[in-house]
């Protein structure tokens, strides 16, 4: 009954270790064919410890140092090096007292005195295993300590022989898998013996691990007050913990609005950018920022400039979120009065809100309607692959603009109604609008831009009677004045409702 319980316990512990270790590296945690051994050094640090640390580093060996507090106090930098290089440091009392001869209070006192130097080097959140001096343990010691007690299974009696060959032979004659070897790094002969023994055992396939690692890899969960002498392979023989590969830094998403302005001539919208700058629709000053999303403030300004609207009388924007001195304030006021583009209906215009392609189409459609530019004939049904994604209120606007050739779908046949329109795309649309509304004037503009039509000394003059675009100065349409009482209320209400709905959806 007892045996079964023990086996079950080992299995449960192993399973727990496996499960907790899985996130690190599943493959390394399978049982393997490992030959493990722990080499321990007591009573230091001393005069040969540094040489020993160099030798361990050269050989890739992790050892365990059970330090005497009075020595640890003298070599704090050596303790720090031990910790930094992956060795385990443990408690060997402050003055090498025989713990079995002390009271509980004295046991705890000497261990605490040593531990403070360990903690200074290795942090204080570690359980420092205890090696009782002389391996001397009784029930008082076991009950007094808060950490596992680590004795040994291979003792070459190096302190007695002080002879390298003897120590080497004693160890080599005894060492086997799972052993804990005892040495003292305060003797030169012991340090020399350690180097030779390590080379020999490594050649035999032994892996040197710290005591805590030996226990872990043998599935042993150390208990405070329990004495350990070795850790044989009883069916649990785990691999080393592998540091998880650091997650590769995710490539930062390229900012879709970024653009290297020095490459503007290579941008697909460049001809339209040139044209719209030439016509004063977009400012010729500064960077064009072709991939930057259009916002409502710029869109209303562009449409106003295209219409050559006289906005001089519009000194107040009429919207709480458009300061009167903002560049788009007179155009927002003008568009609102003209009726093709209102605010959100709550005193807000949303000048900084990006414009989606379906919003852009809807506003454009109302613009065409306002200036009597709607295409003639029946508007065909939308055939975009994502036509079902176009908002109900935007379907007519998208259909009208598509039929007029102002907005087109993407190469894959989609329209991307909720995608934001960029300044470059807007330039293309405005150039198309120029061609659509006034093909003759547009052809002339292009000829002038190409230098095919000479510009006289007075500069270019608008020829008369060729524009299909209503001339605002003559028809009093686009330049509806600020004091005019004419407001297409229905139009504003529609646009406002459309954007209010869309805004709610976005939230
Ligand atoms: Zn000792």
């Amino acid at each position: 009954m007892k045996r079964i319980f023990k086996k079950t316990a080992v299995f449960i512990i192993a399973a727990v270790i496996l499960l907790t270790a899985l996130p690190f590296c599943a493959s390394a945690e399978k049982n393997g064919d490992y030959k493990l051994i722990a080499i321990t050094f007591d009573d230091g640090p001393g005069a040969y410890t540094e040489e020993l640390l160099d030798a361990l580093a050269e050989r890739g060996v992790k050892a365990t140092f059970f330090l005497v507090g009075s020595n640890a106090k003298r070599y704090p930098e050596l303790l720090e090096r031990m910790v930094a290089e992956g060795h385990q440091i443990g408690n060997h009392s402050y003055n090498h007292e025989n713990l079995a001869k002390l009271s509980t209070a004295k046991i705890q006192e000497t261990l605490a005195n040593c531990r403070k130097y360990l903690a200074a080097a290795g942090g204080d959140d570690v359980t420092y295993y205890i090696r009782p001096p002389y391996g001397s343990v009784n029930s008082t010691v076991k009950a007094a300590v808060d950490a596992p007690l680590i004795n040994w299974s291979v003792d070459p009696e190096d302190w007695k022989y002080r002879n390298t060959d003897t120590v080497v032979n004693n160890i080599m004659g005894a060492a086997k898998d799972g052993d804990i070897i005892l040495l003292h790094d305060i003797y030169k002969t012991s340090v020399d013996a350690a180097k030779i023994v390590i080379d020999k055992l490594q050649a035999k396939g032994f892996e040197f691990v710290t005591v805590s690692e030996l226990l872990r890899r043998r599935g042993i969960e150390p208990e405070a007050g329990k004495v350990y002498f070795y850790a044989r392979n009883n069916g649990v023989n785990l691999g080393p913990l592998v540091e998880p590969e650091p997650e590769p830094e995710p490539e930062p998403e390229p900012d879709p609005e970024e653009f290297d302005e020095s490459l503007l001539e290579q941008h697909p919208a460049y001809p339209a950018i040139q044209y719209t700058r030439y016509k004063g629709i977009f400012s010729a000053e500064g960077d064009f920022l072709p991939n930057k999303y259009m916002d409502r403030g710029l869109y209303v300004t562009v449409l106003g400039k295209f219409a050559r609207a006289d906005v001089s009388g519009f000194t107040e924007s009429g919207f709480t979120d458009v300061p009167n001195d903002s560049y788009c304030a007179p155009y927002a006021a003008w568009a609102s009065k003209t009726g093709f583009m209102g605010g959100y209906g709550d005193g807000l215009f949303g000048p900084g809100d990006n414009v989606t392609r379906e919003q852009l189409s809807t506003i454009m459609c109302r613009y065409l309607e306002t200036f009597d530019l709607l295409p003639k004939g029946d508007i065909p049904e939308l055939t975009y692959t994502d036509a079902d994604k176009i908002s109900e209120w935007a379907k007519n606007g998208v259909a009208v603009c598509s039929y007029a050739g102002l907005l087109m779908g993407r190469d894959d046949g989609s329209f991307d109604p909720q995608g934001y329109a960029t300044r470059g795309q807007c330039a293309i649309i405005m150039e198309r609008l120029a061609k659509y509304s006034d093909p003759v004037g547009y052809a002339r503009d292009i000829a002038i831009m190409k230098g095919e039509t000479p510009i006289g000394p007075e500069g270019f003059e608008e020829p008369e009677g060729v524009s299909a675009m209503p001339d605002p100065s003559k028809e009093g349409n686009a330049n509806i004045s600020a004091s005019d009482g004419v407001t297409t209320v229905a139009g504003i209400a529609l646009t406002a409702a459309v954007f209010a709905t869309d805004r709610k959806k976005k939230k």
Side-chain angles (χ1 to χ4, degrees), residues 120-244:
D124 49 18
D125 58 340
V126 182
T127 301
Y128 295 103
Y129 290 8
I130 296 160
R131 170 154 292 160
Y134 319 102
S136 175
V137 170
N138 62 13
S139 55
T140 310
V141 173
K142 288 179 185 176
V145 298
D146 59 358
L149 296 155
I150 309 298
N151 278 346
W152 55 85
S153 53
V154 175
D155 181 5
E157 296 187 291
D158 60 328
W159 55 274
K160 187 164 82 186
Y161 295 112
R162 310 274 181 100
N163 178 294
T164 300
D165 289 342
T166 308
V167 173
V168 169
N169 290 336
N170 286 352
I171 293 172
M172 294 309 295
K176 55 193 176 298
D177 175 65
D179 270 333
I180 297 174
I181 302 169
L182 169 64
L183 280 170
H184 300 81
D185 55 323
I186 52 172
Y187 307 118
K188 171 80 172 134
T189 46
S190 298
V191 169
D192 289 341
K195 295 180 203 171
I196 297 166
V197 163
I198 288 166
D199 290 341
K200 283 179 182 285
L201 289 175
Q202 281 185 328
K204 287 182 158 196
F206 280 93
E207 186 184 337
F208 283 86
V209 292
T210 63
V211 172
S212 65
E213 180 70 351
L214 176 67
L215 298 180
R216 183 192 73 77
R217 290 177 62 175
R218 291 287 150 85
I220 298 165
E221 216 165 350
E223 295 166 38
K226 188 170 174 181
V227 187
Y228 298 87
F229 299 89
Y230 48 78
R232 308 279 180 235
N233 178 359
N234 286 323
V236 180
N237 197 11
L238 305 176
L241 278 185
V242 177
E243 283 286 319

Side-chain angles (χ1 to χ4, degrees), residues 42-44 66 68 92 96 131-135 152 182 184:
D42 286 12
D43 298 1
F66 289 104
V68 169
H92 198 41
H96 211 270
R131 170 154 292 160
Y134 319 102
W152 55 85
L182 169 64
H184 300 81

